[in-house]
């Protein structure tokens, strides 16, 4: 009977695999949390403002010329991690890994533009995925 359970779990794991071509579509970047606040009237949700660094953009001027300007990539991300961080302010300043190319999603009326990456166990252990200090924000996972 125990072998049947192990076999079932192995089949479940195999069924969840995705192809390499699908995996490379996922963009993961280091971002720094600028602000964090509990979403009112929810048990689990936290609203994060996350800085993913700067990017260059072309701006067309009135005279028809194009100017290259630098812009900040700051996004709002809604995450269900409040149970692990009763005081959301402890998240401010943390550098974590995020999925950054998800389609925007409305959660309790708030738009989320990404997903924080974390690990949790069945017995309640929890950890955010935090890159080492020398990795700059905006760095893509490879």
């Amino acid at each position: 009977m125990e072998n049947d359970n192990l076999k079932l779990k192995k089949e479940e794991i195999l069924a969840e695999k995705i192809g390499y071509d699908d995996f490379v579509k996922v963009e993961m970047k280091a971002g720094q949390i600028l602000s964090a606040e509990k979403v009112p009237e929810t048990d689990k949700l936290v609203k994060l403002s996350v800085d993913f660094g700067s990017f260059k953009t072309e701006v067309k001027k009135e005279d028809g010329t194009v100017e290259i300007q630098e812009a900040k990539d700051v996004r709002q991300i809604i995450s269900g991690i409040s149970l692990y961080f009763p005081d959301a302010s402890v998240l401010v300043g943390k550098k974590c890994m995020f999925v950054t190319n998800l389609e925007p999603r409305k959660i309790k009326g708030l738009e989320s533009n990404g997903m924080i990456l974390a690990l949790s166990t069945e017995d309640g252990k929890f950890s955010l995925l935090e890159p080492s200090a020398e990795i700059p924000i905006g760095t893509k996972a490879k």
Side-chain angles (χ1 to χ4, degrees), residues 44-56:
K44 297 180 183 177
L45 298 180
V46 175
K47 179 173 77 169
L48 306 171
S49 176
V50 182
D51 182 0
F52 291 101
S54 300
F55 62 95
K56 295 191 185 315

Side-chain angles (χ1 to χ4, degrees), residues 56-124:
K56 295 191 185 315
T57 184
E58 292 183 356
V59 177
K60 194 169 189 175
K61 296 172 77 175
E62 287 183 19
D63 64 3
T65 61
V66 174
E67 180 178 273
I68 304 295
Q69 293 183 351
E70 197 165 291
K72 294 289 269 176
D73 183 6
V74 176
R75 303 180 196 189
Q76 177 174 279
I77 296 179
I78 310 302
S79 180
I81 61 173
S82 180
L83 296 176
Y84 302 102
F85 300 97
D87 176 7
S89 68
V90 301
L91 294 165
V92 175
K94 284 190 179 288
K95 191 187 321 174
C96 301
M97 293 303 295
F98 296 83
V99 176
T100 54
N101 64 336
L102 293 173
E103 290 184 15
R105 181 174 179 198
K106 289 273 190 185
I107 303 172
K108 293 291 186 184
L110 300 169
E111 185 171 279
S112 185
N113 290 287
M115 180 183 291
I116 194 166
L117 295 175
L119 304 168
S120 64
T121 63
E122 289 182 19
D123 63 350

